[in-house]
Amino acid sequence: MEAVLAKYENQINVFSEYLEDLPDTDEPVWILGECYDVKTGKSELLSDVRSRLWFTYRKKFSPIGGTGPSSDTGWGCMLRCGQMILAQALVCRHLGREWRWVAEGTQPVEYQRILHCFLDRKDSCYSIHQMAQMGVGEGKSVGEWYGPNTVAQVLKKLALFDDWNSLAVYVSMDNTVVIEDISKCLEKNVEEQECFKMPQSCGVLGGKPNLAYYFIGFVDDELIYLDPHTTQLAVDSETGSTVDDQSYHCQRNPRRMKITSLDPSVALGFFCKSEEDFDSWCNLVQQEILKKRNLRMFELVEKHPSHWPPFITPTKPEVQTTGAEFIESTDKLFESEEEFEILNV
């Protein structure tokens, strides 16, 4: 089995045609909304990239569902990219975009709490276990490859059980972001006034057919990305303990891919910490849309289209469990048109 997995990863590396050295260019390099000059600010750029949480294939974690797979190699890359895009939102939420990771350095308590949300355990809110089993409701078997939209839908549902972060996750329909619908999400979370939107800087999920990447920036005609197609051992850490985080940060130079190599099926992600952030984002997007009348990745409209089904603000089911245990409860879950199946663990 180890030989098969190694062969698979070698095929990934050949197919992705990556370039690890940053180009010697006068063009700006953008990383998640931050602009760098590679000639004068390369070290700051690399520090930014290495500070991003990096989730890859893992092996030898507890079997999903008790009897399922104990590794996600070959099928979990889009799930890992979904973890990375959401983790970036949580970093912005708790640590700020300017936060930087230092190897062997002391990290804030919030950083450790964020990491615990994504550990490969059934009691971590956004673990591979929770995502894979929640995906069953989206028509995906455990161990099946996901597309960007499925991952977005799974994260939206899992966020309902995440009381610590209190995120409102919005997933657009037909490549159209509806301001009225997001405002309803904000009203639902009025105490925190936060909203994390997908499609939409937290990054981009996408890649090539059956291969997923987490795109965090661009330079010239190339995208800069973090690659989840590396299998590492699962990190064993007890709830509340300090996580050994060395394997959660990619410490080699970022990889690049030609924009023309990108599959058109992508999910864009943005984090807005406040309603003011969201208003500013809307203004910026509207200005850009006016510039590119024929080349739009998505539309932004004020009102909910009349020919669409009514927008229903997601609500947490009335189940007396903690967010870490919700998959073990099967009664009275999501009694709406968005019903999905929950598997027992």
Side-chain angles (χ1 to χ4, degrees):
M1 176 59 75
E2 296 291 337
V4 172
L5 297 181
K7 180 179 179 181
Y8 174 82
E9 290 178 3
N10 288 337
Q11 290 174 337
I12 293 290
N13 289 337
V14 170
F15 185 49
S16 65
E17 300 173 339
Y18 64 84
L19 301 169
E20 289 202 359
D21 291 331
L22 289 169
D24 184 16
T25 178
D26 293 324
E27 293 296 317
V29 179
W30 289 91
I31 301 294
L32 298 172
E34 296 291 326
C35 185
Y36 294 95
D37 183 330
V38 73
K39 293 184 176 181
T40 61
K42 185 175 181 178
S43 60
E44 290 81 4
L45 186 158
L46 293 178
S47 175
D48 193 350
V49 172
R50 291 167 186 166
S51 295
R52 300 315 108 209
L53 284 170
W54 181 46
F55 297 119
T56 70
Y57 294 144
R58 296 277 176 170
K59 60 183 178 180
K60 297 186 179 180
F61 48 69
S62 62
I64 296 175
T67 58
S70 58
S71 172
D72 62 312
T73 298
W75 60 271
C77 52
M78 191 64 80
L79 296 177
R80 297 302 186 179
C81 289
Q83 289 180 326
M84 284 190 273
I85 200 171
L86 184 58
Q88 177 59 24
L90 300 189
V91 166
C92 290
R93 158 84 163 84
H94 296 287
L95 305 176
R97 179 62 183 87
E98 69 283 354
W99 171 82
R100 296 294 180 266
W101 175 76
V102 178
E104 308 296 342
T106 301
Q107 303 298 337
V109 173
E110 292 83 359
Y111 167 80
Q112 286 291 328
R113 288 195 69 177
I114 292 171
L115 266 183
H116 273 279
C117 290
F118 298 94
L119 294 182
D120 299 312
R121 305 160 49 102
K122 72 172 185 178
D123 58 354
S124 293
C125 191
Y126 301 108
S127 67
I128 193 77
H129 300 66
Q130 299 282 22
M131 294 184 71
Q133 293 191 102
M134 189 64 80
V136 172
E138 299 297 325
K140 297 291 185 180
S141 301
V142 175
E144 188 176 353
W145 193 85
Y146 285 39
N149 182 65
T150 303
V151 168
Q153 296 292 344
V154 165
L155 291 175
K156 181 179 77 171
K157 291 172 179 176
L158 288 176
L160 296 172
F161 298 89
D162 182 5
D163 294 331
W164 175 50
N165 293 295
S166 299
L167 290 175
V169 179
Y170 171 80
V171 182
S172 74
M173 178 178 174
D174 293 341
N175 299 326
T176 302
V177 177
V178 182
I179 295 175
E180 180 182 37
D181 294 346
I182 293 178
S183 296
K184 292 180 180 179
C185 291
L186 287 171
E187 291 170 5
K188 188 72 179 178
N189 278 34
V190 65
E191 184 175 351
E192 295 291 338
Q193 289 193 322
E194 293 172 321
C195 187
F196 173 58
K197 304 185 299 303
M198 284 186 173
Q200 287 186 78
S201 189
C202 280
V204 181
L205 308 182
K208 302 179 180 182
N210 293 334
L211 294 176
Y213 303 94
Y214 173 45
F215 297 100
I216 60 173
F218 64 91
V219 55
D220 294 330
D221 61 345
E222 296 171 340
L223 295 167
I224 299 171
Y225 67 95
L226 295 180
D227 191 349
H229 305 105
T230 296
T231 301
Q232 304 184 84
L233 284 172
V235 174
D236 187 15
S237 180
E238 296 296 325
T239 301
S241 62
T242 299
V243 179
D244 182 356
D245 64 350
Q246 297 300 306
S247 65
Y248 289 104
H249 294 272
C250 186
Q251 299 183 53
R252 58 173 176 253
N253 285 348
R255 295 180 174 183
R256 294 178 288 129
M257 178 189 297
K258 293 289 185 181
I259 292 178
T260 53
S261 300
L262 184 64
D263 186 89
S265 178
V266 299
L268 308 178
F270 293 83
F271 172 76
C272 296
K273 191 171 184 178
S274 65
E275 191 167 359
E276 290 72 24
D277 280 355
F278 176 58
D279 291 340
S280 297
W281 179 83
C282 289
N283 291 332
L284 178 61
V285 169
Q286 287 167 338
Q287 293 173 20
E288 292 300 316
I289 285 177
L290 290 175
K291 295 178 184 177
K292 301 175 182 179
R293 295 183 179 276
N294 298 321
L295 297 172
R296 304 175 183 177
M297 295 191 72
F298 61 92
E299 299 287 345
L300 179 66
V301 299
E302 288 282 350
K303 296 295 183 180
H304 187 89
S306 59
H307 59 283
W308 282 11
F311 176 77
I312 300 176
T313 304
T315 56
K316 183 177 178 180
E318 295 182 1
V319 179
Q320 299 302 315
T321 63
T322 66
E325 300 167 336
F326 75 91
I327 280 181
E328 299 186 56
S329 300
T330 58
D331 298 330
K332 300 180 180 178
L333 285 175
F334 294 90
E335 296 175 347
S336 71
E337 78 280 357
E338 291 188 329
E339 285 185 355
F340 55 95
E341 179 184 0
I342 305 295
L343 295 182
N344 284 329
V345 178

